Structure formats: C-alpha cells, structure tokens
Amino acid sequence: LLVKKHQSPHTGPERWERDILIDKENWTEVFKVPSKTCKENKLKEFQFKFIHRIVITKKELFRYGINTDSDCIYCGEQDSINHTFIDCEFTKTFTCKVINWFNTQNDSNFQPDTKEMLFATFKHPAYMELVRKFNYTLLFMKFYVYVNKLNNSSLVLTEFITRINYKYKVENL
C-alpha cells in the first residue's frame, strides 16, 4: 500500500462542488485556510472535517441508532450538513446577526457569499488583517453553531460575542 502510493479521491470536495458549485481550482486555497486563519487545533480539525463532509449531524446519529429522530432542533426539518450550514433559517438568521455585529464593531461592510462563508475564504486586498479576523469569526461561528446544535442548545448572540472576544485575545486578533 505504501509502495504503490495509492490515493483515493477526496469525496467531500466533490460533493461540495455538486451542492454549491465551487470551482476545482479553489480547493487548494480552501485547504490552506485553517492554517492561515487560526492557531487552535480544534478549529483546524473542525474545518478539515467540514471540508471532507465528515461532520456528524443528527442525520448520522439517527442512522446509527443513537438519536430517536433526525429533525433539526431549531426548525424541525430533516437535518444534514447542508441543512445545518446552508438551508436552516435559524442558522441563516444567526449568521446575519454575527456578520452585522462584526461589521458594526470593526467599521466594515463585509458581505460574504455562501462559498466564502462556508469555507472562510473571504478576501479583500485592502484589509488583510481585518479579513483574517473576519474569516476567523466565520470559522468560529460555524463551530459554535455545530456544537450548540449537537448539545441541543440555542444560538445566543451575546454568548457568541463573549466567546469570540475571548478567542480574539487568545489568537492575538
């Protein structure tokens, strides 16, 4: 196995390409984002799992008999990775609140599209350091949504702001 150096294709990026029509040449940048954006290994690991679509949702927990249902705790629809991070109205609302809060706090006007939000690849050449902080905020927001959803907790903006401000201090942002 090691001599032949057989590498299986990454199925996560292929499924993301199908679901949100991301270009193949952008994947190199997507895979580099966690190391450029943050120092925390837990967030890097989460982003890796997210890119490869191996993040556990209620859909998988139900499939393996761990949960009794596969419904989203916020809206009651069928849960999945796409639903959690793209389709859920509660997550969309929370994301808008976080982006508005960030723009207000940093006197900016960042409006990422779906791809930039999902993979924290937002770019703006004039504000490199602020963009890094924004991408970190997007990454941590996804992690916050994921953890709260698994723990059946609500999404609270004030709690998120407290946590992200602490994370900014740790990351020196």
Side-chain angles (χ1 to χ4, degrees):
L1 181 67
L2 294 174
V3 173
K4 292 181 183 179
K5 295 183 181 179
H6 174 71
Q7 293 181 340
S8 60
H10 301 290
T11 58
E14 289 174 2
R15 290 184 63 202
W16 282 119
E17 287 171 9
R18 183 182 65 227
D19 291 345
I20 62 169
L21 305 173
I22 191 169
D23 299 328
K24 290 185 182 219
E25 57 268 3
N26 292 342
W27 282 111
T28 304
E29 183 64 29
V30 169
F31 281 109
K32 292 178 183 177
V33 165
S35 61
K36 291 179 180 179
T37 305
C38 65
K39 299 172 187 171
E40 187 177 351
N41 287 334
K42 190 179 286 189
L43 286 179
K44 289 179 185 180
E45 177 185 357
F46 172 75
Q47 183 69 357
F48 178 85
K49 288 179 178 181
F50 181 78
I51 292 168
H52 290 284
R53 297 180 69 102
I54 54 176
V55 173
I56 302 298
T57 62
K58 287 186 76 176
K59 177 182 175 182
E60 288 80 22
L61 294 175
F62 177 70
R63 185 183 314 155
Y64 296 117
I66 297 171
N67 273 5
T68 57
D69 67 349
S70 64
D71 299 338
C72 174
I73 65 165
Y74 302 128
C75 65
E77 293 184 25
Q78 177 80 22
D79 197 19
S80 68
I81 192 167
N82 283 355
H83 174 76
T84 298
F85 297 105
I86 300 172
D87 301 329
C88 183
E89 290 301 321
F90 286 84
T91 305
K92 285 180 185 178
T93 302
F94 183 73
T95 300
C96 287
K97 288 179 183 178
V98 169
I99 292 171
N100 289 337
W101 168 80
F102 183 89
N103 285 332
T104 302
Q105 291 296 311
N106 296 287
D107 195 28
S108 59
N109 191 23
F110 296 154
Q111 296 298 324
D113 62 19
T114 303
K115 295 173 204 172
E116 292 169 334
M117 188 195 65
L118 286 176
F119 301 110
T121 57
F122 185 78
K123 292 182 181 177
H124 194 293
Y127 305 103
M128 291 305 291
E129 200 57 37
L130 190 58
V131 166
R132 179 175 173 250
K133 185 176 183 180
F134 183 66
N135 284 335
Y136 181 82
T137 304
L138 293 175
L139 179 58
F140 185 72
M141 180 195 61
K142 278 191 319 197
F143 182 72
Y144 177 81
V145 167
Y146 173 71
V147 168
N148 280 9
K149 200 165 193 180
L150 280 184
N151 292 329
N152 293 326
S153 301
S154 59
L155 301 174
V156 181
L157 185 62
T158 54
E159 178 187 356
F160 173 79
I161 291 169
T162 303
R163 289 184 182 191
I164 195 70
N165 282 328
Y166 175 74
K167 295 290 186 176
Y168 288 159
K169 291 176 186 175
V170 171
E171 291 279 338
N172 293 324
L173 293 174

